[in-house]
Amino acid sequence: MNQKFAGVKGMNDLLPGEIEIWQHVESTAHAVLARYGYSEVRTPVVEDTALFVRSVGETTDIVGKEMYTFDDKAGRSLTLRPEGTAPAARAYIEHSVQNLEPVSRWYYVGPMFRYERMKTGRYRQFFQLGVEAYGIAEPAEDVEQMELVTHLLARLGLTGVSLNLNSLGDDACRPEYQKKLVGYLEAHREALCAECKERLTRNPLRVLDCKNERCQEIARGAPSILEMLCQPCQAHFAEVQRLLGVLRVPYVLNPRLVRGLDYYTRTAFELVAADPVLGTASAVGGGGRYDKLVESLGGSAVPAVGFALGLDRLCLLAKAAGQVPTGRPELFVVTVGPAARDRALELATGLRHAGHRVELDARGGSVKSQMKRADKSAATYALVLGDQELAEGVAQLKPMAGGEPVRVALDRLEATLTELKQS
Ligand code: HAM
């Protein structure tokens, strides 16, 4: 027996029946993003490994444990991108985009790769819609993005998603906060989970994000970063909140919100849905400001802000919310005999060129079996074409959901279908 293959663990196939919801989510996103002045970019799925180490951060779980890294035949260390912000920044710098325009608004849709422990909503290949704006340091840009994502989720009919907001400070105030946090956590070291004991030295802020219940309880008593922001960070954060109020974007202040990537400064946000279809993978998106990243990767000092939505999770939510678009044909042509089949092919081709969705089945067979297939295709109408219909130039359009058939002249079929679609 020939060997059968299975897909790689944690990497999914998207087949008809499921792909429609993805297309719906993506086309809604393309339309919304265009209105906010964003243009799509496409970068390769592999990058120099050092790009992610330098930007996402050596002590993060992503770089420490989750990257798909390999040497190519010339011995270069390459990595399947675990996220899209660093690749976009790399492209922005490489093409000197800051010399062409003061402000750039980019977005991308594509697969990302993280070797994570799998569960519902968490995969090893997953898709992100990423949104990045370069060149604006003002809080209004952070708010514009948070409003954009709130609007996009509403357009998708996803009402149960809440926007969590925090500020992570900057180089002037975060080190002080980190010192104070470590002091507090050291006092509770024994009660922390094994992983957090390690985080305490490697990446103490991440302890605030641990899912372990005892760690969460300790995190609840931890000092808040919002009380230790320097004056400029405080002013930025106050303005972000004021403008969210102006635009009436609802949000929840969460001083324990930290991100799994190291490049953020000031504003950080996450979109969280407490929906059972996601299991514990409740974050549908996240992002924030990263004013130092472009410079740290060798570019000019260009401020930036961005976020990414997890499309796999978004599609799970959209499906559960009943947002499943149907891909039904308007017409299924049933044929009797070879002459009718030729004519049906001709008719179907003409109708498709005119913009209609039409199916027929080249296998032919009895009218009964073809009508069964028409039913299964969920077509709106079936048209039976035999020698008599060909001779008269007239056939019956049969509504598949029941109701009176419509007599139609074959040379008026296109016009009739268009009229029926509009009525
Ligand atoms: P992130 O929070 O690591 O941020 O990922 C963004 C979203 O991707 C998550 O909220 C989640 O919905 C989805 N996601 C992450 N890992 C997985 C997984 N293993 N399976 C399924 N979905 C997943 C970033 O990646 C940043 N680059 C976002 C950003 C853009 N910040 C600024 N600009």
Side-chain angles (χ1 to χ4, degrees), residues 83 85 114 116 121 123 128 132 259 263-264 283-285 306-307 310:
E83 62 101 51
T85 305
R114 296 182 192 175
E116 289 204 73
Y123 312 108
Q128 280 187 351
E132 318 285 358
R259 305 273 301 126
Y263 44 64
Y264 294 105
V284 292
F307 67 89

Side-chain angles (χ1 to χ4, degrees), residues 54-262:
R54 284 251 305 277
S55 55
V56 174
E58 211 150 351
T59 60
T60 59
D61 285 352
I62 296 177
V63 169
K65 306 180 193 164
E66 297 169 359
M67 294 207 302
Y68 282 88
T69 297
F70 60 97
D71 285 349
D72 74 1
K73 291 195 193 299
R76 300 179 198 92
S77 179
L78 302 180
T79 292
L80 291 183
R81 61 181 182 194
E83 62 101 51
T85 305
R90 194 266 312 138
Y92 177 85
I93 297 162
E94 189 172 336
H95 301 284
S96 305
V97 180
Q98 76 281 5
N99 296 335
L100 308 175
E101 53 188 24
V103 173
S104 302
R105 292 195 175 90
W106 287 3
Y107 75 97
Y108 46 85
V109 181
M112 308 290 158
F113 303 85
R114 296 182 192 175
Y115 193 85
E116 289 204 73
R117 217 173 299 145
M118 282 159 37
K119 50 184 186 178
T120 308
R122 202 207 267 161
Y123 312 108
R124 290 181 177 167
Q125 175 182 269
F126 59 97
F127 288 76
Q128 280 187 351
L129 164 71
V131 172
E132 318 285 358
Y134 306 93
I136 301 183
E138 276 68 16
E141 195 65 16
D142 316 18
V143 172
E144 187 173 289
Q145 286 192 352
M146 286 185 265
E147 192 284 323
L148 184 166
V149 74
T150 307
H151 172 64
L152 174 57
L153 294 170
R155 284 290 301 266
L156 292 169
L158 307 180
T159 47
V161 183
S162 66
L163 172 65
N164 279 13
L165 177 69
N166 195 16
S167 173
L168 298 174
D170 64 7
D171 290 349
C173 52
R174 197 188 309 159
E176 239 353 83
Y177 170 70
Q178 193 151 316
K179 235 190 264 168
K180 191 165 172 191
L181 177 68
V182 169
Y184 167 83
L185 293 173
E186 280 295 352
H188 295 84
R189 172 181 269 277
E190 281 324 302
L192 291 173
C193 73
E195 220 171 318
C196 279
K197 283 193 182 108
E198 197 200 320
R199 284 186 183 127
L200 198 47
T201 40
R202 288 188 346 126
N203 201 344
L205 257 67
R206 291 295 292 175
V207 174
L208 298 178
D209 196 34
C210 182
K211 298 283 174 281
N212 179 295
E213 246 174 61
R214 284 185 70 187
C215 297
Q216 278 186 1
E217 203 178 307
I218 295 168
R220 274 195 282 278
S224 159
I225 189 162
L226 295 179
E227 280 152 26
M228 293 187 67
L229 295 178
C230 59
Q231 202 283 325
C233 285
Q234 231 174 62
H236 186 99
F237 197 50
E239 185 63 359
V240 163
Q241 291 180 79
R242 189 185 72 79
L243 290 171
L244 284 170
V246 169
L247 293 182
R248 288 185 286 279
V249 175
Y251 65 93
V252 180
L253 212 55
N254 178 1
R256 278 184 300 277
L257 168 65
V258 287
R259 305 273 301 126
L261 310 98
D262 280 352

Side-chain angles (χ1 to χ4, degrees), residues 379-398:
T380 315
Y381 297 99
L383 182 91
V384 181
L385 215 56
D387 288 340
Q388 192 185 337
E389 286 79 9
L390 287 189
E392 291 174 4
V394 173
Q396 304 262 356
L397 255 187
K398 190 175 168 323

